[in-house]
Amino acid sequence: MSTTTTPRHELAEGSLPARTRAPAVSISEVSKDFGRGPDAVVALHEVDLLVERGEFVCLLGASGCGKSTLLNLVAGLDSPTSGTVDTAGNKIAFMFQEATLFPWLTLGQNVDLALRLTGVPRSARPERVEELLEKVRLGGRGHRRPHELSGGMRQRGALARVLAQDADIVLMDEPFAALDAMTRDAMHDEIEGLWAELGLTVLFVTHNVREAVRLSDRTVLMESGPGRVKEIHAMHDLPRPRHLEDQRVTERAGRLTHLLKAEVARHVR
Amino acid sequence: MSVDLSSGIGTGTPTSRGASPSPATGEPSRRAARPGAGVRRAVEVVWPKLLAVLLVVALWQAIYASGWKPDYRFASPADTVERLWFVMSGNGPFNFWMGVQNTIMRGIQGFALSLVIGTILGIAVSQWRVLRNAIGAMITGLQTMPSIVWFPFAILLFGLDSSAIYFVVLMGAIPSIANGIINGIDDVPPSYLRAGHMLGARGWRRYRFVVIPAALPAYVAGLSQGWAFAWRGLLAGEIIVSIPEVPALGTQLNQAAVNGQSANLLALMIVVLVIGMLASFVFSSIGQRVRARRGLTGFTAGGG
Ligand SMILES: Nc1ncnc2c1ncn2[C@@H]1O[C@H](COP(=O)(O)OP(=O)(O)OP(=O)(O)O)[C@@H](O)[C@H]1O
Ligand SMILES: [Mg+2]
């Protein structure tokens, strides 16, 4: 395992042209406080992180360490108290921690709206909607309303909507937390396939260490109180496709879990 | 008077239990489609209402029979029903159907105008902080004004004319409609706004695709309440501002009272009640539909 505190700028596949090597996301000395005075919460403290174009980066950390806050800053939904976030004009899609399919639209209409707002012409949309729903294994369910879907189906619907946006950078906040192990496994294959196929840059928040090892090029281990980057673990030495049962994956996950536990314990003490 | 807009729709039908989706499965109940079940459900819904009507009629008959007031002041149910039938078949001292038509048309026109003004006002207030600070509280305050209070002012402004009636209808309905949309917009869940923003729904698209659809249930509730206020103001107006050459329900009510035609009066009151109920049924069905489509019915706080 290679542990680096400075980001390593190397890709799993070295085949991308040189001009795409510029970072897709540059986070430098970002701090974020909520509130003022004695009640202020320092959610993030001087976070530095560079994410390469086409890279899959997982954010791993205890609950409340500022992962969602960081994603919000990258998405431009909030602005840092100090420091800068630069996404180099890339188009960003966000899969939120909570379900945000619009309840007044059917699943298909939700995906259609994303296409429409992306500028896909009307004539091309119905086919594309069905295609995207197939991709997340919800083919033929387009007429259903979000409340008529299970929690896992809703998350997959949200994924279809994210894919519809044809973004360069995809931010995902614990997207598969609600899924059963089997479906999650399938979704891992799916998201990895899409990431490779579409050349996406993914920033993926999770509590699940194995998930991080399974998916990421690099995993950022965060510490809490205040939120900071503790360590960055490169996973380039683990060949893809990885499987959760692979010995090397389990081994790496074991070590990360150990670190995470130590971090949580330090914070609780 | 503070009115909870969110519960303003779907109420008034405590017996519609069978229509709600089953809370256990979250799936809409399709039981009603089974033969026999539909009839049973209809009976279930209808009999309490029927019983209530019968009770009222019985009480009415009892008071009448006690000889408390003379016939011309307090008619019997039988006389009233007969009279109702009589005027409805186009006979009687006044042009009943013309009156109904005029009153309903005034209601629809007044409400339509209130809808346009209230909606624009609501959107404007929820958009501009200055405007909200200036008149936000006033709109809520205006809702507490009984519409009858506007009449002296309206008559002074417009004279005994239809304009005075429209003015009062508007003053009653606009605040409710504006308030409905303001509350709706204020309560749009931030997560939908954030999702919409990331989808690219910015500027006017934010309204078109996120804010307005999300605010729809509260807006419909505001419309429903606005209609109720408009209808009250309208009837009050027609009773006060009688324009002899324009037959109208309120005018006829007034004349019936003045002429001591109790049966006529009661028959007309029943007509007013029925029209009001029909309208409120329309609004509550729309509200129910809007809510059901987004899964907001089923496991509710109320008994229905
Ligand atoms: N709007 C806010 N106002 C005040 N404090 C906030 C706000 N948003 C987040 N915080 C605080 O910032 C810290 C980080 O929150 P954040 O949601 O980013 O955590 P997280 O790492 O995503 O946690 P989880 O894994 O549980 O989702 C927490 O202490 C939280 O209480
Ligand atoms: Mg979070």
Side-chain angles (χ1 to χ4, degrees), chain B residues 169-192:
Chain B
V169 168
L170 259 59
M171 292 317 284
I174 290 172
S176 293
I177 295 172
N179 231 355
I181 201 161
I182 293 169
N183 288 340
I185 290 177
D186 283 356
D187 292 345
V188 174
S191 60
Y192 295 145

PDB file of all heavy atoms in Angstrom, chain B residues 169-192:
ATOM      1  N   VAL B 169     -65.430  40.509  -3.817  1.00  0.00           N
ATOM      2  CA  VAL B 169     -65.003  39.152  -4.155  1.00  0.00           C
ATOM      3  C   VAL B 169     -63.482  39.102  -4.285  1.00  0.00           C
ATOM      4  O   VAL B 169     -62.805  38.233  -3.732  1.00  0.00           O
ATOM      5  CB  VAL B 169     -65.671  38.688  -5.471  1.00  0.00           C
ATOM      6  CG1 VAL B 169     -65.018  37.422  -5.996  1.00  0.00           C
ATOM      7  CG2 VAL B 169     -67.158  38.459  -5.245  1.00  0.00           C
ATOM      8  N   LEU B 170     -62.940  40.069  -4.995  1.00  0.00           N
ATOM      9  CA  LEU B 170     -61.491  40.116  -5.195  1.00  0.00           C
ATOM     10  C   LEU B 170     -60.738  40.296  -3.878  1.00  0.00           C
ATOM     11  O   LEU B 170     -59.749  39.608  -3.621  1.00  0.00           O
ATOM     12  CB  LEU B 170     -61.136  41.266  -6.150  1.00  0.00           C
ATOM     13  CG  LEU B 170     -60.845  40.870  -7.592  1.00  0.00           C
ATOM     14  CD1 LEU B 170     -62.051  40.171  -8.206  1.00  0.00           C
ATOM     15  CD2 LEU B 170     -60.478  42.085  -8.425  1.00  0.00           C
ATOM     16  N   MET B 171     -61.239  41.188  -3.055  1.00  0.00           N
ATOM     17  CA  MET B 171     -60.547  41.435  -1.792  1.00  0.00           C
ATOM     18  C   MET B 171     -60.571  40.206  -0.895  1.00  0.00           C
ATOM     19  O   MET B 171     -59.714  40.010  -0.060  1.00  0.00           O
ATOM     20  CB  MET B 171     -61.177  42.624  -1.044  1.00  0.00           C
ATOM     21  CG  MET B 171     -60.968  43.962  -1.726  1.00  0.00           C
ATOM     22  SD  MET B 171     -59.310  44.210  -2.352  1.00  0.00           S
ATOM     23  CE  MET B 171     -58.438  44.558  -0.838  1.00  0.00           C
ATOM     24  N   GLY B 172     -61.618  39.367  -1.085  1.00  0.00           N
ATOM     25  CA  GLY B 172     -61.685  38.148  -0.295  1.00  0.00           C
ATOM     26  C   GLY B 172     -60.762  37.069  -0.827  1.00  0.00           C
ATOM     27  O   GLY B 172     -60.054  36.400  -0.074  1.00  0.00           O
ATOM     28  N   ALA B 173     -60.740  36.909  -2.143  1.00  0.00           N
ATOM     29  CA  ALA B 173     -60.050  35.753  -2.721  1.00  0.00           C
ATOM     30  C   ALA B 173     -58.550  35.983  -2.913  1.00  0.00           C
ATOM     31  O   ALA B 173     -57.747  35.072  -2.721  1.00  0.00           O
ATOM     32  CB  ALA B 173     -60.698  35.383  -4.047  1.00  0.00           C
ATOM     33  N   ILE B 174     -58.179  37.196  -3.299  1.00  0.00           N
ATOM     34  CA  ILE B 174     -56.772  37.436  -3.640  1.00  0.00           C
ATOM     35  C   ILE B 174     -55.806  37.097  -2.504  1.00  0.00           C
ATOM     36  O   ILE B 174     -54.805  36.414  -2.727  1.00  0.00           O
ATOM     37  CB  ILE B 174     -56.568  38.879  -4.152  1.00  0.00           C
ATOM     38  CG1 ILE B 174     -57.206  39.024  -5.527  1.00  0.00           C
ATOM     39  CG2 ILE B 174     -55.087  39.251  -4.215  1.00  0.00           C
ATOM     40  CD1 ILE B 174     -57.240  40.448  -6.053  1.00  0.00           C
ATOM     41  N   PRO B 175     -56.064  37.545  -1.274  1.00  0.00           N
ATOM     42  CA  PRO B 175     -55.090  37.227  -0.218  1.00  0.00           C
ATOM     43  C   PRO B 175     -54.898  35.729  -0.007  1.00  0.00           C
ATOM     44  O   PRO B 175     -53.775  35.270   0.193  1.00  0.00           O
ATOM     45  CB  PRO B 175     -55.695  37.878   1.034  1.00  0.00           C
ATOM     46  CG  PRO B 175     -56.610  38.934   0.531  1.00  0.00           C
ATOM     47  CD  PRO B 175     -57.147  38.413  -0.756  1.00  0.00           C
ATOM     48  N   SER B 176     -55.983  34.960  -0.089  1.00  0.00           N
ATOM     49  CA  SER B 176     -55.849  33.515   0.110  1.00  0.00           C
ATOM     50  C   SER B 176     -55.011  32.887  -0.987  1.00  0.00           C
ATOM     51  O   SER B 176     -54.157  32.038  -0.723  1.00  0.00           O
ATOM     52  CB  SER B 176     -57.223  32.849   0.100  1.00  0.00           C
ATOM     53  OG  SER B 176     -57.950  33.264   1.210  1.00  0.00           O
ATOM     54  N   ILE B 177     -55.284  33.303  -2.217  1.00  0.00           N
ATOM     55  CA  ILE B 177     -54.556  32.722  -3.343  1.00  0.00           C
ATOM     56  C   ILE B 177     -53.080  33.120  -3.270  1.00  0.00           C
ATOM     57  O   ILE B 177     -52.186  32.286  -3.414  1.00  0.00           O
ATOM     58  CB  ILE B 177     -55.193  33.165  -4.676  1.00  0.00           C
ATOM     59  CG1 ILE B 177     -56.606  32.587  -4.764  1.00  0.00           C
ATOM     60  CG2 ILE B 177     -54.349  32.722  -5.854  1.00  0.00           C
ATOM     61  CD1 ILE B 177     -57.417  33.096  -5.942  1.00  0.00           C
ATOM     62  N   ALA B 178     -52.835  34.396  -2.999  1.00  0.00           N
ATOM     63  CA  ALA B 178     -51.447  34.866  -2.895  1.00  0.00           C
ATOM     64  C   ALA B 178     -50.734  34.152  -1.754  1.00  0.00           C
ATOM     65  O   ALA B 178     -49.608  33.675  -1.902  1.00  0.00           O
ATOM     66  CB  ALA B 178     -51.416  36.375  -2.677  1.00  0.00           C
ATOM     67  N   ASN B 179     -51.418  34.013  -0.636  1.00  0.00           N
ATOM     68  CA  ASN B 179     -50.814  33.354   0.511  1.00  0.00           C
ATOM     69  C   ASN B 179     -50.503  31.894   0.227  1.00  0.00           C
ATOM     70  O   ASN B 179     -49.471  31.374   0.653  1.00  0.00           O
ATOM     71  CB  ASN B 179     -51.773  33.436   1.695  1.00  0.00           C
ATOM     72  CG  ASN B 179     -51.089  33.974   2.918  1.00  0.00           C
ATOM     73  OD1 ASN B 179     -49.880  34.193   2.918  1.00  0.00           O
ATOM     74  ND2 ASN B 179     -51.853  34.186   3.948  1.00  0.00           N
ATOM     75  N   GLY B 180     -51.417  31.240  -0.509  1.00  0.00           N
ATOM     76  CA  GLY B 180     -51.188  29.846  -0.861  1.00  0.00           C
ATOM     77  C   GLY B 180     -49.897  29.693  -1.637  1.00  0.00           C
ATOM     78  O   GLY B 180     -49.059  28.844  -1.332  1.00  0.00           O
ATOM     79  N   ILE B 181     -49.709  30.565  -2.618  1.00  0.00           N
ATOM     80  CA  ILE B 181     -48.510  30.418  -3.445  1.00  0.00           C
ATOM     81  C   ILE B 181     -47.267  30.845  -2.669  1.00  0.00           C
ATOM     82  O   ILE B 181     -46.195  30.236  -2.793  1.00  0.00           O
ATOM     83  CB  ILE B 181     -48.660  31.148  -4.794  1.00  0.00           C
ATOM     84  CG1 ILE B 181     -47.678  30.561  -5.797  1.00  0.00           C
ATOM     85  CG2 ILE B 181     -48.474  32.634  -4.679  1.00  0.00           C
ATOM     86  CD1 ILE B 181     -48.029  30.857  -7.229  1.00  0.00           C
ATOM     87  N   ILE B 182     -47.390  31.846  -1.810  1.00  0.00           N
ATOM     88  CA  ILE B 182     -46.231  32.267  -1.005  1.00  0.00           C
ATOM     89  C   ILE B 182     -45.803  31.122  -0.089  1.00  0.00           C
ATOM     90  O   ILE B 182     -44.620  30.751  -0.030  1.00  0.00           O
ATOM     91  CB  ILE B 182     -46.559  33.522  -0.175  1.00  0.00           C
ATOM     92  CG1 ILE B 182     -46.772  34.732  -1.093  1.00  0.00           C
ATOM     93  CG2 ILE B 182     -45.439  33.822   0.826  1.00  0.00           C
ATOM     94  CD1 ILE B 182     -47.364  35.941  -0.384  1.00  0.00           C
ATOM     95  N   ASN B 183     -46.764  30.534   0.618  1.00  0.00           N
ATOM     96  CA  ASN B 183     -46.430  29.411   1.499  1.00  0.00           C
ATOM     97  C   ASN B 183     -45.844  28.258   0.707  1.00  0.00           C
ATOM     98  O   ASN B 183     -44.885  27.619   1.134  1.00  0.00           O
ATOM     99  CB  ASN B 183     -47.674  28.924   2.237  1.00  0.00           C
ATOM    100  CG  ASN B 183     -48.119  29.903   3.288  1.00  0.00           C
ATOM    101  OD1 ASN B 183     -47.334  30.750   3.730  1.00  0.00           O
ATOM    102  ND2 ASN B 183     -49.366  29.824   3.685  1.00  0.00           N
ATOM    103  N   GLY B 184     -46.457  27.987  -0.431  1.00  0.00           N
ATOM    104  CA  GLY B 184     -45.966  26.886  -1.253  1.00  0.00           C
ATOM    105  C   GLY B 184     -44.518  27.096  -1.655  1.00  0.00           C
ATOM    106  O   GLY B 184     -43.690  26.199  -1.550  1.00  0.00           O
ATOM    107  N   ILE B 185     -44.203  28.301  -2.104  1.00  0.00           N
ATOM    108  CA  ILE B 185     -42.841  28.587  -2.555  1.00  0.00           C
ATOM    109  C   ILE B 185     -41.872  28.555  -1.380  1.00  0.00           C
ATOM    110  O   ILE B 185     -40.775  28.015  -1.467  1.00  0.00           O
ATOM    111  CB  ILE B 185     -42.793  29.930  -3.305  1.00  0.00           C
ATOM    112  CG1 ILE B 185     -43.518  29.787  -4.650  1.00  0.00           C
ATOM    113  CG2 ILE B 185     -41.349  30.385  -3.528  1.00  0.00           C
ATOM    114  CD1 ILE B 185     -43.612  31.064  -5.455  1.00  0.00           C
ATOM    115  N   ASP B 186     -42.302  29.111  -0.247  1.00  0.00           N
ATOM    116  CA  ASP B 186     -41.427  29.111   0.935  1.00  0.00           C
ATOM    117  C   ASP B 186     -41.100  27.689   1.388  1.00  0.00           C
ATOM    118  O   ASP B 186     -40.020  27.437   1.904  1.00  0.00           O
ATOM    119  CB  ASP B 186     -42.107  29.836   2.099  1.00  0.00           C
ATOM    120  CG  ASP B 186     -42.060  31.340   1.931  1.00  0.00           C
ATOM    121  OD1 ASP B 186     -41.424  31.786   0.950  1.00  0.00           O
ATOM    122  OD2 ASP B 186     -42.650  32.058   2.751  1.00  0.00           O
ATOM    123  N   ASP B 187     -42.059  26.793   1.216  1.00  0.00           N
ATOM    124  CA  ASP B 187     -41.885  25.454   1.758  1.00  0.00           C
ATOM    125  C   ASP B 187     -41.339  24.452   0.755  1.00  0.00           C
ATOM    126  O   ASP B 187     -41.343  23.260   1.026  1.00  0.00           O
ATOM    127  CB  ASP B 187     -43.225  24.941   2.310  1.00  0.00           C
ATOM    128  CG  ASP B 187     -43.646  25.736   3.541  1.00  0.00           C
ATOM    129  OD1 ASP B 187     -42.775  26.438   4.095  1.00  0.00           O
ATOM    130  OD2 ASP B 187     -44.821  25.668   3.935  1.00  0.00           O
ATOM    131  N   VAL B 188     -40.911  24.906  -0.410  1.00  0.00           N
ATOM    132  CA  VAL B 188     -40.298  23.964  -1.352  1.00  0.00           C
ATOM    133  C   VAL B 188     -39.071  23.356  -0.682  1.00  0.00           C
ATOM    134  O   VAL B 188     -38.192  24.090  -0.214  1.00  0.00           O
ATOM    135  CB  VAL B 188     -39.876  24.663  -2.657  1.00  0.00           C
ATOM    136  CG1 VAL B 188     -39.109  23.705  -3.545  1.00  0.00           C
ATOM    137  CG2 VAL B 188     -41.082  25.203  -3.390  1.00  0.00           C
ATOM    138  N   PRO B 189     -39.011  22.037  -0.574  1.00  0.00           N
ATOM    139  CA  PRO B 189     -37.866  21.433   0.102  1.00  0.00           C
ATOM    140  C   PRO B 189     -36.551  21.853  -0.565  1.00  0.00           C
ATOM    141  O   PRO B 189     -36.427  21.755  -1.781  1.00  0.00           O
ATOM    142  CB  PRO B 189     -38.104  19.935  -0.062  1.00  0.00           C
ATOM    143  CG  PRO B 189     -39.563  19.806  -0.296  1.00  0.00           C
ATOM    144  CD  PRO B 189     -39.981  21.041  -1.024  1.00  0.00           C
ATOM    145  N   PRO B 190     -35.581  22.319   0.215  1.00  0.00           N
ATOM    146  CA  PRO B 190     -34.314  22.765  -0.363  1.00  0.00           C
ATOM    147  C   PRO B 190     -33.635  21.674  -1.184  1.00  0.00           C
ATOM    148  O   PRO B 190     -32.936  21.973  -2.148  1.00  0.00           O
ATOM    149  CB  PRO B 190     -33.463  23.113   0.858  1.00  0.00           C
ATOM    150  CG  PRO B 190     -34.419  23.304   1.971  1.00  0.00           C
ATOM    151  CD  PRO B 190     -35.635  22.499   1.670  1.00  0.00           C
ATOM    152  N   SER B 191     -33.864  20.422  -0.827  1.00  0.00           N
ATOM    153  CA  SER B 191     -33.188  19.356  -1.577  1.00  0.00           C
ATOM    154  C   SER B 191     -33.652  19.349  -3.038  1.00  0.00           C
ATOM    155  O   SER B 191     -32.864  19.047  -3.930  1.00  0.00           O
ATOM    156  CB  SER B 191     -33.436  18.001  -0.925  1.00  0.00           C
ATOM    157  OG  SER B 191     -34.806  17.711  -0.885  1.00  0.00           O
ATOM    158  N   TYR B 192     -34.918  19.701  -3.286  1.00  0.00           N
ATOM    159  CA  TYR B 192     -35.380  19.762  -4.675  1.00  0.00           C
ATOM    160  C   TYR B 192     -34.753  20.949  -5.402  1.00  0.00           C
ATOM    161  O   TYR B 192     -34.442  20.866  -6.583  1.00  0.00           O
ATOM    162  CB  TYR B 192     -36.899  19.870  -4.742  1.00  0.00           C
ATOM    163  CG  TYR B 192     -37.607  18.643  -4.212  1.00  0.00           C
ATOM    164  CD1 TYR B 192     -38.806  18.749  -3.531  1.00  0.00           C
ATOM    165  CD2 TYR B 192     -37.060  17.384  -4.391  1.00  0.00           C
ATOM    166  CE1 TYR B 192     -39.449  17.618  -3.038  1.00  0.00           C
ATOM    167  CE2 TYR B 192     -37.686  16.257  -3.903  1.00  0.00           C
ATOM    168  CZ  TYR B 192     -38.880  16.381  -3.224  1.00  0.00           C
ATOM    169  OH  TYR B 192     -39.505  15.272  -2.747  1.00  0.00           O
TER     170      TYR B 192
END
